[in-house]
Amino acid sequence: MAIRHYWSMAVAAVGFRLVLVLFGGDLHLASRPEVSTPLTSLRRLAEGYWLKQASMSPYSGSMYHGSPLLLSVLGPLTSKRSGGHHSHIYCSLVFVAVDFIAAMLIRSTGRTLQMARNRSLKSLDLRKSVNNSVNVSAGDTASLIYLWNPWTIITCVGSCTSPIENLMVVIMLHGACSRLAPLAAFGYVMATHLSLYPAILILPVALLLGYGPDTPPTKVFLQKGLSANKIDMSDNGKGTSQKGFGQFSWKPILHFILWVFIWSCYVLLLNSIILNKVGGLQEMFEKTYGFILTVKDLSPNIGVLWYFFAEVFDFFRSFFLIVFNMNIIFMVLPLAIRLKHRPCFLAFVYTAIVAMLKSYPSAGDSALYLGLLGLFANELAEMQFTFFLFFGYIGVSLLSPVMHNLWIWRGTGNANFYFATGLAYTCLQTVLVVETVSSMIKHDRKLRLLTKA
Amino acid sequence: MEPSAKEDKQPKPRLIVRLGIFLASHHILFSALCCSAGIMALLFLPSLAKNTYLSENALIPGSANPLFSSEDVTEANKFIKGIEAAAGESRGGMEMSKFIVQQMKDLGAEVCYHEFLPHSKHFHPLKFFTSMTNDLAVRPNGTYSNSGTNTIGIIRAPRGDGKEAIVLVTPYNPQKVQANEVLSLALGFSVFSLLSRAAWLSKDIVWLSADSQFGEYTAVSAWLNQYHNPMFVGGVKHEPDGIAEKAEFTDFKRAGTMAAALIFKVGETRNYGDRDSVTMYAEASNGQMPNLDLLNVVHYLAVHRQGFRVNIETISSLLSSAWLRAIAEVIHTLGSILRKINPDWKLDITASDYVEGTANLASSIYNQALGVPTGSHGAFRDYQVDAVSLEFSPTFYIRNENAKSSFLVRGGRLLEGVVRSVNNLLEKFHQSFFLYFLTAPSKFISVGVYMIPFALLVAPLPIVAAALADGSRKKGESIDASKTKGSADNLPTEVGSWKWLQAARVLLVIQLWAVIVSLLPYYISQIPDGTPIQSSVIWVVLAILTLIVLYAMFGSPYSAGVEWKLLKATMITSISIGLGLMSIINFATAQLGALIVIPMCLFSRPLKAQLGMSFLPRTVLCASNILLAIFGFPPAALLIMKGLSKGSWTVDLGDFWASMEFLWEWSSATYLYLFLVHLPCWLLCIHVLLHPCRQVGSKVKRE
């Protein structure tokens, strides 16, 4: 069931962005802590570019912490000024295009997923009973959610580089879903290079390349095979087709690894060329990855780490740095084992967890995982607490600027007020992750029960 | 496999979930209890007020003997004579400020003029989220004839580092000189001259004689704006025409960060009471208050040292109202009963105290809720400076020399004492409360107490929303269960979990409409020569047109077949978010809004659905629905308010425009509340009331 007026809605979303880019200069979104972080701020990028033009290391002065590649791609655009508009208009136009491409890639990923789903449901003879209840076009829904999500819009308009990071993750998923190892490897290398955390997405990507897109668990197919065999022992064709599911093929993975190697060498080479004479690769790693991992900048953002590290005693700092960074790693393996049959969904869960626990989170990270959430519209139709989550997100995103205003401008509040919003936001995300995972598992269980019947 | 599947089907919910389900199933009782408790708590607020106390130890008011003496009074009298002479030969008020500058220069102070333009009326309710400091100061160039001139004198503190300052402000109107304004200038000058000799000063003193011909607030805010936003006008020196000696003072001079500001003026002579009185005004924009310690210092020194009577604003009509007295009696009896139960509950204040406290509290809540500052101290609060306005009301006639000099001595000592206390501060004011209501000059209700009625009023909202959303889901599930009875597992379908999306869409369309309606005045106010009535008619017509267009674009709320319960649940959730946000921005507005909106939301029920009920509950429900829907409509509410307070029931659309203009000019968040929270809620309520209530059977067919 495709969504009516898809294209007009998509074009309207792009048009809305353009209107905001051209006339929304007074919104000052770029200075909001929810939108731009020290890593993604375009103002910092402009500063880095300026330093580099002056033959200095772009990382000197602790202003810029992004990739040198962005510097040479977006840098020249930041220095161009046009009267009457806000300063980074050309970059913003680039981001609009980037958002649109990302949405299109999400759409085609959704199509691939939908096809895989229909195929596996067909082989389970469940098409009718499941599709009766819900059948929306996942790709269209997801890309529309991505395009019309207010957070994506403010990220796009708000002069920060998050849209590009998101695009790389989407490229990676798209490449992995359509089993294009070079594309997936490119997305993976770039996303990791730009913001480090997507590195943990190697597991879903490997599973995607190995097993193919999301399917019901292997157990269901085995069961189906068993009952089918009982009914009709002679039907060999079906048995072989079921064996196709759940088989892990190593070839694309080796392919992927090879390409990852090639792309990383290429990216490092480009970086070292760009940074030639103005600081080396080591400084780059220190100032980007080091900056991410050691949480040096404690200016407020919507996460929870800034507050914690502002409070913690210095001699405990390294301990807690290890704890917080390991926190993300701890969750990787158990989730991968539980959700190995649904690698795309696993990637969504990982991005949500990263958005929650990363050191400098912003609305852009949430925009990515909320967009990906739409891909599983059919499977998550029975999710609980959706009403609560929806209004919770709205409430938090309105509360955050108010609390910030109370603390910074009016002086009647304090840091705790703003941090409370961050806590509430993290709780909401936790509820979202827990609910999505549990309803996905429930969905799988339901499929199992239906096959048995 | 089999038993585990059974277990999964009916897992035992957690305690908190069960508690939630319990509350949701009794939501009507729960909301009735909570709302009545909230209103009771609101009525008890005046008896819960505590006495104020100084929490910052560094202030130590009144610990030093005041130095202000009769010599300074002589000084003040000389100043009065001089300035009256200057005012006599005044041309456009310039002579007065020249005289003041001369006097200040003689004291050895640094002096400068500050020219400003009258503040033009603009539509800026959204300024709340940016800060006031983003404005660029506009310096008038010589061509403007009607610019105002502030006169500023700065004493550099002998023991200070020039990083902090205390500001004294005396507003006066040079175009129309009045005896009481001259007296307040003289008071300011005599205090200033005393401070210029004080050896103990550690903060600079800034004396601003504000030119109030365009209103005090304009003058003070223009000065503050330029003080905080340096202008870099390279080399463009402008010479005010004709006044050569003034040019040397046009360089803007600054002292350090402002620790506190005192605005004082001598008001009209009032003949009540035996003592001179001081009225404190503290409410700044959007219900912000200065730190309570500042008010405490003023109150302590005024009452206990200088023998003034201290007043705060009050709604005097309440003082004589009979029904309030009746309530007071009831509260008093209740309080004394409670006291008998537990002697620690000191709730039994006397009826007259209660009435007075309520009148003061009502005025305090009203002023905060309006979000418009009550004086020029509001301009300071926008820059996070604690400020208070003091209006002296002498009981003597201005020409009475003896009484005047005694008044000058006491007023001067009060100001000196306050300055001395603030001078002792090591940090910004932060110890005491910022969020409070005053029920008397020395009694306050802190945020922890006044939150209770509001919290009680808001508490039922999420419960009712959950109950409604859940109830509608249950219904969906049962239908689906009957539909899919054949299959092994009962499949709750999309209908169950995501059905609210339609209702959310209705909500979003209405919110979009509200945003458009709230922004319309920006364009309407640019129509030249529009009378208020024309403007408001245009506004209403455009609002209705926009609503029709939006419905044409996105489909009307009933066409999608939204269940009224879900619509109501969505409305209640949105209103609880809105009220929650507003309670952080401006608590008083949220409190008053909650009193209207919450009953309106909770009572709303489709008129068609009421047909099935028996006669009595139906009429009661219907009547309350209609009454609340009328009272909840902002123009109607305004009319009723006006009618109740003034007794005039003429319907004038222009009034509505004028009062809204008043709100947005002052960038009051109340305007945003009215149009982004209250109005959409009201419209949704109307939608719920007029809901056609088609049978669910048709929906099943559709799906």
Side-chain angles (χ1 to χ4, degrees):
Chain A
M1 182 166 81
I3 291 178
R4 279 181 305 156
H5 311 306
Y6 172 80
W7 284 108
S8 55
M9 276 156 92
V11 168
V14 174
F16 185 60
R17 279 175 168 74
L18 287 177
V19 166
L20 281 185
V21 166
L22 295 175
F23 305 107
D26 293 337
L27 294 174
H28 298 292
L29 285 174
S31 56
R32 305 257 13 133
E34 295 88 0
V35 178
S36 62
T37 66
L39 287 175
T40 59
S41 161
L42 208 59
R43 267 168 60 212
R44 288 174 181 252
L45 189 141
E47 171 87 8
Y49 179 70
W50 192 85
L51 285 172
K52 190 177 159 280
Q53 289 303 94
S55 304
M56 282 187 268
S57 161
Y59 296 111
S60 55
S62 176
M63 195 66 180
Y64 185 57
H65 299 284
S67 150
L69 291 178
L70 288 179
L71 215 54
S72 52
V73 174
L74 294 177
L77 297 177
T78 55
S79 58
K80 275 187 203 159
R81 300 270 154 150
S82 62
H85 298 307
H86 73 279
S87 46
H88 301 309
I89 185 158
Y90 295 107
C91 290
S92 298
L93 291 177
V94 170
F95 293 148
V96 173
V98 162
D99 259 8
F100 184 70
I101 295 170
M104 290 305 108
L105 288 178
I106 289 179
R107 186 168 183 237
S108 78
T109 312
R111 291 238 163 121
T112 321
L113 284 179
Q114 185 94 0
M115 262 148 57
R117 175 182 137 93
N118 285 344
R119 212 168 41 228
S120 51
L121 285 184
K122 198 176 168 191
S123 71
L124 289 174
D125 290 335
L126 287 178
R127 261 193 100 160
K128 263 189 201 154
S129 56
V130 177
N131 280 1
N132 256 351
S133 54
V134 263
N135 191 16
V136 291
S137 163
D140 289 2
T141 319
S143 65
L144 278 184
I145 290 178
Y146 189 77
L147 279 175
W148 274 109
N149 185 351
W151 292 3
T152 328
I153 293 173
I154 61 163
T155 316
C156 176
V157 177
S159 310
C160 63
T161 57
S162 309
I164 296 183
E165 292 169 11
N166 290 351
L167 175 70
M168 292 306 156
V169 176
V170 171
I171 285 180
M172 167 177 69
L173 286 181
H174 174 72
C177 270
S178 15
R179 296 201 156 184
L180 298 167
L183 192 64
F186 171 73
Y188 180 73
V189 169
M190 282 306 294
T192 311
H193 171 63
L194 290 179
S195 59
L196 182 64
Y197 287 103
I200 60 168
L201 291 176
I202 184 121
L203 274 177
V205 170
L207 289 171
L208 267 176
L209 290 170
Y211 285 118
D214 296 18
T215 53
T218 334
K219 224 189 268 174
V220 180
F221 290 104
L222 290 179
Q223 217 170 51
K224 180 73 188 171
L226 226 63
S227 55
N229 283 353
K230 268 182 209 160
I231 294 164
D232 191 359
M233 298 287 268
S234 62
D235 195 353
N236 287 331
K238 221 171 199 174
T240 47
S241 79
Q242 276 148 20
K243 262 182 198 154
F245 296 104
Q247 240 171 24
F248 196 80
S249 49
W250 284 98
K251 211 177 126 198
I253 296 202
L254 292 175
H255 213 101
F256 174 74
I257 291 169
L258 181 71
W259 274 103
V260 165
F261 182 71
I262 293 172
W263 283 118
S264 344
C265 289
Y266 185 56
V267 164
L268 286 180
L269 182 73
L270 278 182
N271 279 335
S272 64
I273 289 172
I274 291 167
L275 290 178
N276 193 18
K277 289 181 193 161
V278 286
L281 283 183
Q282 198 193 342
E283 193 190 7
M284 180 190 89
F285 283 124
E286 263 172 35
K287 291 289 180 141
T288 53
Y289 292 173
F291 183 74
I292 292 171
L293 292 176
T294 52
V295 201
K296 287 214 175 90
D297 190 315
L298 297 180
S299 53
N301 55 41
I302 48 174
V304 284
L305 264 64
W306 62 273
Y307 189 85
F308 186 83
F309 282 109
E311 301 277 317
V312 81
F313 288 120
D314 259 354
F315 43 86
F316 285 132
R317 196 182 156 87
S318 7
F319 170 71
F320 280 111
L321 278 177
I322 294 169
V323 169
F324 278 107
N325 284 319
M326 290 305 281
N327 208 348
I328 296 181
I329 313 267
F330 278 143
M331 282 185 234
V332 167
L333 211 57
L335 279 169
I337 291 168
R338 190 68 186 82
L339 292 169
K340 63 176 183 300
H341 55 285
R342 293 196 180 272
C344 229
F345 182 69
L346 184 65
F348 154 75
V349 175
Y350 282 176
T351 47
I353 287 175
V354 163
M356 193 161 49
L357 293 175
K358 76 192 285 193
S359 43
Y360 308 103
S362 71
D365 301 310
S366 309
L368 175 65
Y369 73 73
L370 288 177
L372 294 182
L373 180 63
L375 291 175
F376 315 102
N378 292 317
E379 286 84 354
L380 298 181
E382 296 151 35
M383 205 171 120
Q384 275 186 313
F385 302 132
T386 46
F387 188 78
F388 166 74
L389 282 170
F390 180 78
F391 283 98
Y393 270 86
I394 289 181
V396 164
S397 47
L398 293 174
L399 200 61
S400 173
V402 170
M403 289 296 198
H404 192 257
N405 176 283
L406 217 61
W407 172 27
I408 300 292
W409 292 119
R410 298 212 276 168
T412 42
N414 54 37
N416 300 334
F417 284 49
Y418 189 65
F419 176 65
T421 330
L423 269 186
Y425 176 60
T426 312
C427 289
L428 271 181
Q429 283 172 313
T430 316
V431 174
L432 180 78
V433 169
V434 169
E435 281 308 315
T436 44
V437 171
S438 67
S439 65
M440 186 55 101
I441 289 170
K442 247 187 228 162
H443 178 76
D444 284 343
R445 189 182 299 140
K446 193 183 78 184
L447 287 183
R448 204 176 66 210
L449 289 173
L450 280 176
T451 32
K452 216 170 6 175
Chain B
M1 233 354 103
E2 197 62 45
S4 75
K6 236 175 205 168
E7 265 175 30
D8 292 335
K9 256 188 250 169
Q10 285 173 341
K12 199 176 176 198
R14 278 178 221 140
L15 182 65
I16 187 160
V17 178
R18 269 186 290 165
L19 196 66
I21 290 169
F22 175 77
L23 280 182
S25 58
H26 296 86
H27 68 271
I28 293 178
L29 181 68
F30 180 73
S31 43
L33 270 181
C34 272
C35 284
S36 42
I39 290 166
M40 270 314 283
L42 194 64
L43 289 177
F44 261 109
L45 274 187
S47 29
L48 291 169
K50 279 191 287 190
N51 285 326
T52 53
Y53 56 92
L54 281 163
S55 22
E56 174 68 84
N57 286 326
L59 285 168
I60 40 173
S63 59
N65 282 329
L67 301 173
F68 196 95
S69 62
S70 50
E71 272 174 50
D72 299 285
V73 176
T74 336
E75 195 97 350
N77 282 329
K78 251 169 41 196
F79 182 87
I80 293 176
K81 293 221 172 66
I83 203 159
E84 276 174 346
E89 57 180 273
S90 176
R91 25 175 242 276
M94 243 13 259
E95 290 304 316
M96 276 176 87
S97 56
K98 258 167 75 183
F99 176 78
I100 297 171
V101 160
Q102 195 52 48
Q103 292 290 316
M104 287 196 290
K105 255 180 83 180
D106 292 346
L107 291 175
E110 291 178 27
V111 185
C112 71
Y113 288 112
H114 167 243
E115 277 191 71
F116 64 94
L117 284 178
H119 159 93
S120 55
K121 291 184 172 184
H122 281 305
F123 177 79
H124 42 212
L126 300 173
K127 245 201 191 137
F128 165 74
F129 276 111
T130 61
S131 93
M132 288 294 177
T133 49
N134 284 341
D135 291 354
L136 273 183
V138 186
R139 175 180 279 193
N141 47 30
T143 54
Y144 287 99
S145 55
N146 60 342
S147 63
T149 310
N150 292 328
T151 319
I152 297 114
I154 300 173
I155 303 170
R156 301 291 172 191
R159 286 161 182 262
D161 51 3
K163 297 246 169 68
E164 283 182 303
I166 302 169
V167 184
L168 304 174
V169 182
T170 42
Y172 74 104
N173 186 355
Q175 304 293 341
K176 203 173 108 221
V177 188
Q178 284 171 331
N180 51 4
E181 280 181 348
V182 168
L183 191 59
S184 66
L185 276 178
L187 181 61
F189 175 73
S190 53
V191 172
F192 191 70
S193 85
L194 172 80
L195 293 174
S196 73
R197 285 175 275 124
W200 43 262
L201 268 188
S202 64
K203 292 179 169 60
D204 296 350
I205 300 290
V206 182
W207 180 33
L208 169 71
S209 1
D211 180 349
S212 67
Q213 54 177 315
F214 310 112
E216 294 165 36
Y217 185 90
T218 316
V220 175
S221 77
W223 177 71
L224 279 170
N225 192 10
Q226 195 167 352
Y227 193 96
H228 289 95
N229 298 309
M231 271 197 309
F232 302 103
V233 270
V236 187
K237 284 254 172 186
H238 78 284
E239 303 276 327
D241 20 56
I243 310 158
E245 74 269 43
K246 211 184 132 183
E248 62 178 297
F249 302 127
T250 46
D251 283 342
F252 197 81
K253 292 206 176 70
R254 292 184 176 81
T257 335
M258 297 171 189
L262 272 178
I263 297 103
F264 53 92
K265 54 192 170 190
V266 180
E268 300 290 323
T269 299
R270 267 183 224 163
N271 267 332
Y272 65 72
D274 47 348
R275 284 185 289 170
D276 300 336
S277 65
V278 181
T279 314
M280 293 194 292
Y281 296 92
E283 287 87 359
S285 56
N286 288 320
Q288 299 178 82
M289 300 290 280
N291 196 294
L292 189 54
D293 266 346
L294 184 62
L295 299 189
N296 288 344
V297 170
V298 171
H299 178 260
Y300 178 82
L301 288 173
V303 173
H304 298 288
R305 296 294 146 130
Q306 308 307 334
F308 282 105
R309 173 204 299 279
V310 176
N311 297 323
I312 53 176
E313 266 189 292
T314 183
I315 297 181
S316 42
S317 64
L318 282 180
L319 287 174
S320 52
S321 89
W323 56 268
L324 185 61
R325 187 148 294 272
I327 293 176
E329 294 295 343
V330 173
I331 295 278
H332 176 66
T333 348
L334 271 177
S336 43
I337 294 170
L338 285 174
R339 181 116 196 218
K340 269 173 203 149
I341 298 169
N342 185 346
D344 286 344
W345 293 339
K346 299 186 176 83
L347 293 171
D348 55 337
I349 61 169
T350 59
S352 60
D353 275 356
Y354 181 86
V355 169
E356 203 175 319
T358 312
N360 289 337
L361 178 69
S363 150
S364 188
I365 291 183
Y366 173 76
N367 279 327
Q368 289 191 23
L370 207 56
V372 176
T374 47
S376 43
H377 50 270
F380 284 96
R381 188 63 232 173
D382 290 335
Y383 298 88
Q384 299 192 20
V385 180
D386 294 295
V388 61
S389 285
L390 305 178
E391 189 177 348
F392 293 96
S393 314
T395 47
F396 57 88
Y397 290 101
I398 297 288
R399 296 288 162 201
N400 182 343
E401 289 297 331
N402 278 337
K404 190 163 80 178
S405 54
S406 118
F407 166 75
L408 277 174
V409 167
R410 286 185 298 140
R413 287 184 172 173
L414 169 63
L415 295 175
E416 184 205 341
V418 176
V419 168
R420 196 151 190 171
S421 278
V422 176
N423 186 54
N424 288 340
L425 276 185
L426 297 177
E427 300 165 283
K428 256 177 75 109
F429 275 110
H430 69 279
Q431 278 278 355
S432 193
F433 297 90
F434 281 106
L435 305 167
Y436 55 90
F437 291 128
L438 288 174
T439 57
S442 62
K443 280 194 161 186
F444 75 108
I445 304 169
S446 79
V447 56
V449 177
Y450 71 59
M451 284 269 287
I452 296 171
F454 180 72
L456 282 171
L457 278 173
V458 173
L461 292 183
I463 304 287
V464 173
L468 286 171
D470 196 51
S472 128
R473 199 177 59 141
K474 285 255 173 62
K475 210 157 61 181
E477 266 178 22
S478 63
I479 291 160
D480 296 323
S482 62
K483 200 172 65 176
T484 54
K485 214 170 246 169
S487 68
D489 201 337
N490 68 333
L491 285 174
T493 53
E494 187 201 20
V495 193
S497 176
W498 292 93
K499 213 168 45 168
W500 53 267
L501 273 178
Q502 291 291 346
R505 204 179 74 156
V506 174
L507 174 75
L508 290 184
V509 170
I510 287 179
Q511 284 291 348
L512 181 67
W513 172 75
V515 170
I516 292 172
V517 168
S518 69
L519 292 179
L520 279 176
Y522 174 73
Y523 301 100
I524 297 172
S525 63
Q526 284 172 351
I527 299 171
D529 306 329
T531 62
I533 294 184
Q534 282 169 347
S535 308
S536 47
V537 168
I538 295 174
W539 196 6
V540 170
V541 169
L542 280 180
I544 294 170
L545 276 180
T546 329
L547 190 64
I548 294 170
V549 168
L550 281 177
Y551 279 170
M553 275 169 71
F554 298 101
S556 91
Y558 304 136
S559 67
V562 189
E563 256 183 76
W564 71 267
K565 278 189 174 171
L566 278 177
L567 201 60
K568 189 173 166 184
T570 324
M571 167 178 82
I572 287 178
T573 319
S574 76
I575 197 70
S576 52
I577 292 176
L579 281 178
L581 278 179
M582 198 59 210
S583 73
I584 299 164
I585 295 170
N586 186 349
F587 183 83
T589 314
Q591 173 75 72
L592 290 185
L595 283 177
I596 300 175
V597 166
I598 287 177
M600 184 169 84
C601 280
L602 291 181
F603 273 111
S604 68
R605 196 182 160 87
L607 296 173
K608 275 197 180 168
Q610 293 168 12
L611 290 178
M613 300 160 81
S614 59
F615 180 72
L616 190 66
R618 198 179 84 200
T619 26
V620 171
L621 199 62
C622 195
S624 54
N625 271 174
I626 289 168
L627 263 181
L628 286 168
I630 289 169
F631 197 67
F633 187 49
L638 188 80
L639 178 72
I640 293 169
M641 284 252 293
K642 201 153 268 174
L644 283 180
S645 61
K646 287 183 190 153
S648 64
W649 291 91
T650 47
V651 179
D652 187 3
L653 266 175
D655 272 0
F656 182 64
W657 175 265
S659 45
M660 291 302 117
E661 194 175 44
F662 180 64
L663 286 182
W664 79 63
E665 263 167 28
W666 288 99
S667 65
S668 164
T670 309
Y671 178 77
L672 293 184
Y673 167 79
L674 273 181
F675 282 90
L676 300 185
V677 180
H678 192 108
L679 191 65
C681 172
W682 176 79
L683 191 61
L684 273 171
C685 240
I686 297 291
H687 279 328
V688 170
L689 285 185
L690 300 178
H691 195 279
C693 291
R694 272 177 302 225
Q695 283 306 304
V696 198
S698 63
K699 282 189 62 196
V700 175
K701 252 180 258 160
R702 201 175 57 84
E703 304 218 344

